């Protein structure tokens, strides 16, 4: 990888309203401008899960202005690492990409007490991921 090319990561879940939003927000917060971050959903919701907004605010990250986005082939093609979180077979697969599937509880319909452990697990995985992609 050249000095000018930033690693890029795409987080995908069904609604792009919970897990993928938290993961993208943590990666942006922790890696800053050293990584390009995208998130999308195979069937995006209208808004980010309110319990996710509260849980992320508790750790100083504001996702209240985020809007769920639809997964596109272009987003996958433009990413070095694609991390799926329960999107099943709807995520297109292209050669040369690194794919990870993170098995995480879906925060949909959950209260903030149930979202916190999901948030904390995502943060741990993001911290590990940063080490892996910045060393690559």
């Amino acid at each position: 990888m050249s000095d000018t090319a930033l690693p890029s990561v795409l987080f995908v879940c069904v609604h792009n309203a919970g897990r993928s939003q938290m993961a993208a927000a943590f990666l942006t917060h922790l890696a800053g401008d050293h990584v390009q971050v995208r998130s999308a959903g195979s069937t995006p919701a209208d808004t980010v899960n309110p319990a996710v907004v509260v849980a992320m605010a508790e750790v100083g990250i504001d996702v209240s202005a985020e809007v769920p986005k639809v997964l596109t082939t272009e987003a996958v093609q433009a990413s070095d690492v694609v991390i799926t979180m329960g999107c099943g077979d709807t995520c297109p697969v292209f050669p040369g990409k690194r794919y990870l599937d993170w098995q995480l509880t879906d925060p949909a319909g959950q209260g903030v007490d149930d979202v916190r452990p999901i948030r904390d697990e995502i943060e741990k995985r993001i911290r590990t991921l940063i080490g892996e992609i910045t060393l690559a």
Side-chain angles (χ1 to χ4, degrees):
M1 185 172 297
S2 71
D3 292 340
T4 57
L6 294 175
S8 57
V9 179
L10 170 64
F11 296 99
V12 182
C13 66
V14 176
H15 300 297
N16 190 220
R19 296 166 289 188
S20 56
Q21 290 285 350
M22 288 189 282
F26 272 123
L27 185 53
T28 299
H29 180 75
L30 296 169
D33 57 3
H34 298 287
V35 179
Q36 288 183 325
V37 182
R38 298 175 181 86
S39 72
S42 51
T43 312
D46 294 329
T47 60
V48 173
N49 179 333
V52 166
V53 173
V54 171
M56 292 302 286
E58 290 175 351
V59 295
I61 301 174
D62 182 6
V63 296
S64 63
E66 296 299 325
V67 177
K69 295 166 278 308
V70 69
L71 175 64
T72 64
T73 300
E74 293 77 21
V76 176
Q77 289 175 317
S79 301
D80 299 313
V81 180
V82 178
I83 299 175
T84 57
M85 303 171 177
C87 75
D89 296 332
T90 59
C91 188
V93 175
F94 293 96
K97 308 290 177 197
R98 178 176 174 203
Y99 289 89
L100 301 172
D101 185 41
W102 289 357
Q103 297 294 319
L104 296 160
T105 303
D106 188 347
Q110 305 288 329
V112 72
D113 288 341
D114 294 317
V115 171
R116 284 184 192 111
I118 302 166
R119 174 201 66 200
D120 295 345
E121 177 61 24
I122 289 172
E123 181 181 9
K124 277 190 245 172
R125 292 181 188 209
I126 291 299
R127 288 181 182 279
T128 300
L129 177 70
I130 290 169
E132 292 172 356
I133 60 179
T134 56
L135 295 174

